[in-house]
């Protein structure tokens, strides 16, 4: 059988490849500053490629720095020396994949040309564009969110096993990509459970569907625990920070983060939910409910005072709103009816709203960290030629981008006694970042409560460099 | 008609497993083994690292390949679907004589059920050409058949006692005597769906003339008998309901299953039937069909078999299958260039993954399980040097994601098949993989010690044989 594709269609992959390369080139040359986390990810990847313990600890050691973003960048970091290029490739790829998936979904739902405003609502959305170009992992999560919600829609609509599988695996990868969507993943699983309970099913079918839907996510969590046990000796090491007072106090998130922007998205989702109920369209109702769940979880998450990435949640909420609008447009009758057209154009208002929102400004990257390094080096070497500085936490990857060198050492699993034994005879120092945002979740802070402000019994305050504070470790004289 | 059940090995010895290893293959094997040993002695770490890199890459590709097949199996048209209306629309005049061959050996207990099942096939009795292929010296089965009054269209064909005593040799004897335009093979314990022959006829009318074989799906009527049959059913469902339809969807080479292969008789004769020396003659025939420029497709109908319910019988059965895969792979790889030319590069790669890949996988799995165990429980730092950077990440991906995907595919297959209660058992597949690797190694060793040994699977352990309906 010959593939009788029209010539224009055969050019689509080539065209997409060109767009991809062009976007990567643009983002790398004139694009926004790389996200602060990007530096952490890429530096940790280099350590992982060097087969170091710190690299492996970084891969699995914190729920706030989940492993999938590391693994996605790893093969690229190996071959691309330019800073943030690997991350930009990943973020552009997932940004395009999100648009591509939305386009395909629109095709499955017979939206025809109405797909264009829906795509525009994302492609012209400053938030989405910024995250696509700055090398962050947020577009990866956006893609997974879309995949999971679409899977849910297919499952509830047509009992599509494929939909359930996609939803299950998207949830699993979301757990490994962003902790910020963990509560939403749980909500999605509850929605699947609700759907199963409300439907008639053959004997054992509910249990089987539940296993298929839940297993990937449960397995992902199980593997994470196992890796923590193997690498760090504690299966729950990666979640310890969630129960630390230091992480909570320092979290800059408040209810004020929930703006009218979210309310607009919530309004659209709420309307879509009502339409879904009115039309007895299960897929629409569930997709809209998934969007609303995310919105409703935001105040709960904010109250927990953990360092959730609300920018990530905003992006996912935008994606879910666009999907709900697409589903509502599909549910509306008539090829170009007013209702259908209105739904297709509704998410564009979100893009416009975000354009005017102060939230659209970039998160500043930590430009001062690296600048502090020569000062610290000079200071410490002036004190002693046998000095050793332990740079604590994931921020150490941002500070020591080009590798630790003989003077500085990354420390993730901070153990003072062990360090003293390992480096007996050296003058030892600890460099700690101010516990702010996700820096507060580093193990040094939950292992040694208020170490930044008070130090410990064995440390002596030395000096500050911006947000970095140097302590000398007190030892018996040589 | 003169019967030469060993025709293939006489006329086209290069396509037969009558010589398990050619001289060139033996030489290559010796040179390769010697080089590997020499390298391991002189440069142990780089050699081990190179092997681990190769194996890890293989695992990654193999897992992605499996996922691709499952995705392809979900395409519409992956299988030929024939509706009951299409079957009913076939008038009796349109139905050709259909040859049904059932090789039997020491299976007196199965004969009664078999005759009932074949009689139940919805096909005019006078157009059924049923041959019970009995070995000349198998008195027990011959006696059991003699005690039955065989329905019209049934007859016994005796297979003369000679070397090798294999099922394909018996089939070749039957092929020579077959009178049907189409031909199908069933095993003694098989229970085909009653409309299967009609579906095959309708399907053959629908497909292109180069499709000369239709493979029905196989599954078990005793999946709930014990844990082994449950996991076996999950594996069979994954293979026949997902992997093979996936291959069919992309028009690739299909390693045929042991029974319920429907052939165009004339074309099968043209291919000289089965290789009497190959212990997985079905798989080999699938590849020869592809090499000859013909195609196989999957047919949406099921033949129910009895799952082997005891490990002591399961292991010899699996050993035979793996040994047959080794035979088949080595036969067709005698001249890789010719194989590549016959099949084309894509199907050539499929064959590497489907036959060579499966055997390689079961053989190297124990090594990696050992490494993982050593790492889990003893944290041997030396292992870290075997898995540098990217290899470590890829290895972790295979260990945690690849293995999960493979067992999840089994669970998905159970769900699709409607075996909802087996979904949870599919998760226990890793236990089953240990048995597979044991059988794989047993097959590997047996290939050198006794390449033509046919370890017969004991059936009839499940008493409660159900009635099969469409």
């Amino acid at each position: 059988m010959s593939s009788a594709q029209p010539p224009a269609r055969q050019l689509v992959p080539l065209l997409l490849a060109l767009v991809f390369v062009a976007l990567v080139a643009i983002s790398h040359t004139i694009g926004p500053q790389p996200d602060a986390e990007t530096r952490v990810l890429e530096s940790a990847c280099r350590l992982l490629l060097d087969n170091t313990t710190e690299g492996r600890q970084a891969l699995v050691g914190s729920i706030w720095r989940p492993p999938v973003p590391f693994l996605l960048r790893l093969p690229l970091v190996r071959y691309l020396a330019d800073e943030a290029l690997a991350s930009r490739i990943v973020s552009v790829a997932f940004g395009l994949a999100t648009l591509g998936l939305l386009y395909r979904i629109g095709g499955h739902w017979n939206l025809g040309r109405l797909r264009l405003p829906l795509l525009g609502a994302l492609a012209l959305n400053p938030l989405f564009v910024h995250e696509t170009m700055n090398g962050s992992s947020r577009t990866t999560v956006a893609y997974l969110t879309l995949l999971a919600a679409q899977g849910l829609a297919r499952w509830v609509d047509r009992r599509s096993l494929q939909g359930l599988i996609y939803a299950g695996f998207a949830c699993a990868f979301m757990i490994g990509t962003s902790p910020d969507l963990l509560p939403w993943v749980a909500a999605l699983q509850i929605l699947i459970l609700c759907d199963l309970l409300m439907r008639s099913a053959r004997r054992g079918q509910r249990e089987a569907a539940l296993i298929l839907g839940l297993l990937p996510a449960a397995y992902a969590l199980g593997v994470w625990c196992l890796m923590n046990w193997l690498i760090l000796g504690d299966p729950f090491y990666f979640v310890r920070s969630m129960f630390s007072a230091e992480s909570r106090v320092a979290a800059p998130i408040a209810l004020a983060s929930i703006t009218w922007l979210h309310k607009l998205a919530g309004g659209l989702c709420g309307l879509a939910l009502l339409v879904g109920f009115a039309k007895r369209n299960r897929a629409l109702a569930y997709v809209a409910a998934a969007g609303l769940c995310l919105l409703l979880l935001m105040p709960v998450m904010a109250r927990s005072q953990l360092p959730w990435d609300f920018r990530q949640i905003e992006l996912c909420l935008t994606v879910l709103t666009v999907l709900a609008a697409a589903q509502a447009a599909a549910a509306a009758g008539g090829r170009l009816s007013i209702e259908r057209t209105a739904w297709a154009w509704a998410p564009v208002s979100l893009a416009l709203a975000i354009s005017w929102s102060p939230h659209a400004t970039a998160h500043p990257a930590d430009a001062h960290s690296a600048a502090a390094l020569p000062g610290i080096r000079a200071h410490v070497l002036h004190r002693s030629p046998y000095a050793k500085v332990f740079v604590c936490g994931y921020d150490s990857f941002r500070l020591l981008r080009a590798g630790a060198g003989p003077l500085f050492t990354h420390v993730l699993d901070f153990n003072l006694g062990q360090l003293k034994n390992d480096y007996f005879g050296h003058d030892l120092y600890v460099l700690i970042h101010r516990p702010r945002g996700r820096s507060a979740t580093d193990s040094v802070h939950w292992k040694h409560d208020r170490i930044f402000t008070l130090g410990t019994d064995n440390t002596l305050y030395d000096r500050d460099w911006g947000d970095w504070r140097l302590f000398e470790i007190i030892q018996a004289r040589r | 008609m003169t019967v030469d059940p060993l025709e293939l090995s006489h006329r086209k010895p290069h396509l037969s497993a009558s010589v398990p290893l050619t001289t060139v293959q033996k030489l290559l094997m010796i040179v390769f083994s010697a080089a590997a040993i020499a390298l391991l002695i002189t440069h142990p770490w780089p050699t081990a690292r190179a092997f681990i890199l190769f194996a890890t890459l293989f695992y990654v590709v193999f897992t992605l390949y499996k996922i691709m097949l499952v995705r392809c199996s979900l395409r519409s048209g992956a299988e030929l679907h024939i509706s009951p209306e299409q079957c009913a629309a076939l008038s009796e005049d349109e139905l050709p004589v259909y040859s049904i061959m059932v090789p039997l050996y020491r299976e007196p207990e199965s004969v009664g059920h078999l005759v009932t099942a074949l009689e139940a096939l919805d096909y005019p009795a006078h157009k059924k050409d049923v041959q019970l292929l009995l070995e000349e010296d198998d008195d027990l089965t011959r006696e059991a058949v003699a005690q039955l009054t065989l329905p019209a269209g049934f007859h016994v064909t005796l297979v003369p006692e000679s070397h090798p005593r294999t099922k394909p040799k018996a089939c070749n004897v039957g092929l020579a005597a077959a009178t049907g335009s189409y031909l199908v093979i069933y095993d003694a314990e098989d229970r085909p769906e009653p409309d299967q022959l009609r579906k095959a006829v309708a399907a053959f009318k629908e497909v292109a003339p180069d499709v000369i074989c239709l493979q029905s799906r196989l599954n078990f009527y005793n999946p709930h008998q014990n844990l082994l049959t449950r996991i076996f059913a999950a594996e069979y469902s994954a293979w026949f309901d997902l992997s093979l339809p996936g291959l069919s969807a992309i028009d690739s080479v299909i390693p045929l299953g042991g029974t319920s292969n429907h052939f165009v008789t004339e074309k099968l004769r043209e291919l000289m039937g089965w290789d009497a020396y190959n212990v997985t003659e079905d798989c080999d025939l699938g590849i020869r069909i592809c090499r000859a420029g013909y195609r196989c497709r999957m047919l949406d109908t099921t033949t129910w078999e009895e799952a082997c319910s005891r490990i002591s019988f399961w292991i010899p059965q699996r050993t035979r299958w793996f040994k047959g895969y080794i035979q088949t792979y080595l036969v067709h790889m005698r001249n890789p260039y010719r194989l590549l030319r016959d099949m084309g590069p894509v199907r050539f790669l499929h064959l590497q993954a489907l036959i060579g890949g499966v055997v390689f996988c079961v053989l190297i799995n124990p090594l990696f399980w050992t490494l993982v165990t050593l790492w889990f429980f003893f944290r041997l730092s030396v292992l870290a040097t075997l898995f540098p950077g990217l290899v470590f990440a890829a290895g972790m991906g295979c260990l945690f994601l690849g293995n999960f995907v493979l067992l999840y595919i089994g669970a998905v297959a159970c769900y699709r098949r409607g075996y909802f209660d087996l979904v949870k058992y599919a998760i226990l597949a890793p236990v089953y993989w240990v048995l597979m690797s044991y059988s794989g190694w047993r097959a590997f060793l047996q290939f050198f010690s006794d390449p033509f040994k046919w370890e017969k699977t004991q059936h009839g352990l499940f008493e409660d044989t159900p009635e099969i309906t469409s």
Side-chain angles (χ1 to χ4, degrees), chain B residues 218-220 231-242 258 305 317-318 321:
Chain B
L218 303 182
N219 220 296
F220 299 128
I231 307 180
F232 200 175
E235 186 208 5
Y236 241 49
S237 303
W239 182 245
F240 284 99
D241 296 354
L242 297 175
E305 299 187 312
Q317 182 188 48
R318 196 48 67 111
W321 292 356

Side-chain angles (χ1 to χ4, degrees), chain B residues 58-116:
Chain B
F58 163 77
Y59 278 127
V60 171
V61 172
F62 192 68
T63 308
L64 293 175
Y65 179 69
K66 283 273 183 185
I67 295 170
M68 182 206 73
L69 287 186
V70 173
R71 274 194 62 109
C72 293
S73 75
L74 302 176
R75 286 185 196 166
S76 60
E79 292 170 303
L80 293 166
H81 182 75
I82 305 294
S83 65
E85 293 74 31
Q86 281 173 284
C87 286
L90 288 169
S91 68
E92 204 171 310
D93 295 340
E94 285 178 279
L95 297 174
V97 174
Y98 216 114
S99 291
I100 301 168
M101 302 202 310
V102 189
L104 294 158
Y105 185 57
R106 292 184 185 163
E107 291 166 293
E109 70 288 343
S110 303
V111 174
H113 284 305
L114 170 73
V115 172
T116 313

Side-chain angles (χ1 to χ4, degrees), chain A residues 266-295:
Chain A
L268 281 173
C269 286
L271 194 59
L273 181 69
L274 291 177
V275 173
F277 278 131
K279 295 195 167 179
R280 295 180 182 276
N281 185 317
R282 297 173 73 93
L284 174 56
Y286 273 85
V287 168
L292 277 179
C293 278
L294 192 55
L295 187 73

Side-chain angles (χ1 to χ4, degrees), chain B residues 215-453:
Chain B
Q215 168 71 59
S216 313
R217 296 193 293 199
L218 303 182
N219 220 296
F220 299 128
Y221 49 69
N222 62 330
H224 301 98
Q225 194 177 345
N226 57 31
L227 185 62
L228 183 64
T229 60
R230 285 185 173 107
I231 307 180
F232 200 175
E235 186 208 5
Y236 241 49
S237 303
W239 182 245
F240 284 99
D241 296 354
L242 297 175
S243 295
L244 291 190
L247 288 169
S248 178
I250 53 177
D251 217 0
S252 175
V253 55
I254 295 184
L256 300 175
T259 81
S260 303
N261 331 117
H262 299 257
F263 299 99
V264 176
T265 313
E266 181 200 335
K267 301 290 180 188
L268 186 57
R269 286 202 181 110
E270 186 187 312
L271 291 169
M272 288 172 237
W274 293 267
D275 178 11
Y277 290 93
N278 196 312
V279 292
T280 48
E281 76 295 342
D282 35 21
C283 166
D284 171 72
L285 182 56
I287 294 163
R288 281 195 291 120
I289 287 173
C290 182
R291 289 187 76 168
Y294 296 119
R295 290 187 296 149
C296 300
R297 294 294 309 270
M298 286 299 290
L299 182 62
D300 179 22
T301 174
T302 302
T303 296
W304 303 89
E305 299 187 312
E306 181 187 341
C308 196
S309 56
R310 288 191 201 159
I311 290 180
S312 55
F313 295 136
W314 184 92
I315 286 175
Q317 182 188 48
R318 196 48 67 111
T319 300
R320 177 164 59 79
W321 292 356
F322 282 135
K323 191 172 71 178
Y325 268 39
I326 297 172
Q327 278 183 329
T328 306
Y329 185 74
L330 290 173
V331 165
H332 291 282
M333 286 295 284
R334 281 173 186 166
N335 188 341
Y337 173 70
R338 195 165 164 180
L339 179 68
L340 183 66
R341 210 182 51 195
D342 289 349
M343 302 182 94
V346 175
R347 287 176 184 156
F348 178 84
L349 288 175
H350 278 293
L351 182 125
Q352 302 303 317
L354 285 168
I355 313 295
V358 167
V359 175
F360 183 65
C361 194
V362 292
L363 291 180
I364 63 166
N365 276 345
L367 169 71
F368 282 87
W369 293 332
T370 310
L371 291 178
V372 168
T373 311
L374 289 174
W375 183 47
F376 272 28
F377 295 105
F378 302 105
R379 314 276 164 91
L380 294 182
S381 57
V382 72
L383 293 177
T385 60
L386 289 175
F387 290 87
L390 269 182
V391 182
F392 170 76
M396 296 285 285
C398 292
L399 175 65
F400 292 120
L401 186 59
N403 284 322
F404 177 72
V405 165
L406 294 182
L407 68 88
Y408 191 81
I409 286 173
V412 169
C414 287
Y415 190 94
R416 276 194 93 199
R417 177 47 78 173
Y419 288 157
F420 300 124
D421 52 334
L422 295 194
V423 167
K424 54 181 174 287
Y425 293 102
I427 296 162
L428 300 174
V431 182
Y432 187 79
W433 297 342
V434 176
L435 291 177
M436 284 174 76
S437 277
Y438 174 74
S439 309
W441 274 101
R442 199 166 168 264
F444 183 70
L445 298 174
Q446 205 182 78
F447 173 75
F448 293 101
S449 62
D450 198 351
F452 307 122
K453 185 179 177 184

Side-chain angles (χ1 to χ4, degrees), chain B residues 109-162:
Chain B
E109 70 288 343
S110 303
V111 174
H113 284 305
L114 170 73
V115 172
T116 313
L118 296 184
E119 216 181 348
L121 284 171
D122 176 20
Y123 210 78
H126 65 282
K127 291 199 169 177
K128 280 189 213 167
D129 162 37
V130 182
Q131 290 186 68
L132 304 180
L133 305 171
L134 306 182
E135 297 283 334
E136 210 170 25
D137 61 343
D138 181 10
D139 296 333
L140 281 174
T141 317
R142 286 179 68 180
E143 231 167 74
V145 173
Q147 281 171 8
L148 292 173
T149 313
L150 292 177
F154 282 63
H155 49 269
V156 170
T157 304
L158 284 183
V159 181
E161 193 184 342
S162 64

Side-chain angles (χ1 to χ4, degrees), chain A residues 62-265:
Chain A
S62 170
I63 193 162
W64 304 103
R65 268 88 176 195
V68 172
F70 289 100
L71 294 174
L72 286 173
R73 283 156 180 77
L74 199 62
L76 299 170
V77 167
R78 172 83 175 73
Y79 300 104
L80 301 172
D82 281 21
E83 197 204 15
L85 182 56
S87 296
R88 288 185 200 273
I89 288 174
V90 173
S91 68
V92 169
F94 276 99
L96 285 178
T98 308
L99 291 174
L101 181 60
L102 188 63
Y103 185 79
R104 283 190 62 183
I105 293 170
H108 286 146
W109 294 345
N110 297 320
L111 290 179
R113 284 187 191 164
L114 289 179
R115 281 183 284 186
L116 293 177
L118 289 164
L119 280 182
L122 265 194
L124 303 175
N125 191 318
L127 189 60
F128 184 79
V129 173
H130 182 81
E131 297 305 336
T132 301
M133 306 295 262
N134 78 346
S136 80
S137 299
R138 295 187 186 106
T139 50
T140 312
V141 185
Y143 175 78
L144 293 170
T145 308
L146 188 62
L147 194 64
Q150 184 231 4
L152 176 74
R154 286 174 67 177
W155 167 250
V156 297
D157 187 29
R158 286 177 275 142
R159 273 278 193 252
S160 157
L161 182 58
Q162 216 175 343
L164 184 68
I165 295 168
Y166 283 160
F169 272 90
C171 286
F173 278 104
M174 227 182 284
I175 287 173
T177 312
S178 167
D180 313 293
L181 270 290
L182 266 176
W184 185 74
V185 165
L188 202 73
Q189 303 285 355
I190 292 170
L191 285 176
I192 291 175
L193 187 66
C194 291
D195 172 67
L196 285 170
L197 290 175
M198 288 194 303
R199 296 240 195 166
S200 59
R202 282 163 61 188
R203 194 172 143 263
Q205 193 174 5
R206 279 197 191 103
E207 181 197 63
L210 202 61
I211 289 173
L212 289 178
L214 289 182
L215 191 66
Y219 178 79
L221 276 176
V223 167
W224 206 346
C225 290
L226 179 70
M227 294 305 292
N228 270 262
W229 173 64
L230 288 171
I231 293 171
L232 293 143
D234 173 5
F236 303 110
Y237 187 94
F238 69 116
V239 287
R240 297 266 179 228
S241 63
M242 292 185 88
F243 310 103
S244 147
E246 191 89 78
S247 322
R248 288 169 193 274
V249 171
I253 303 301
L255 279 170
S257 302
I258 301 167
T259 62
W260 59 275
L261 190 95
H262 302 117
K263 288 168 191 162
L264 174 63

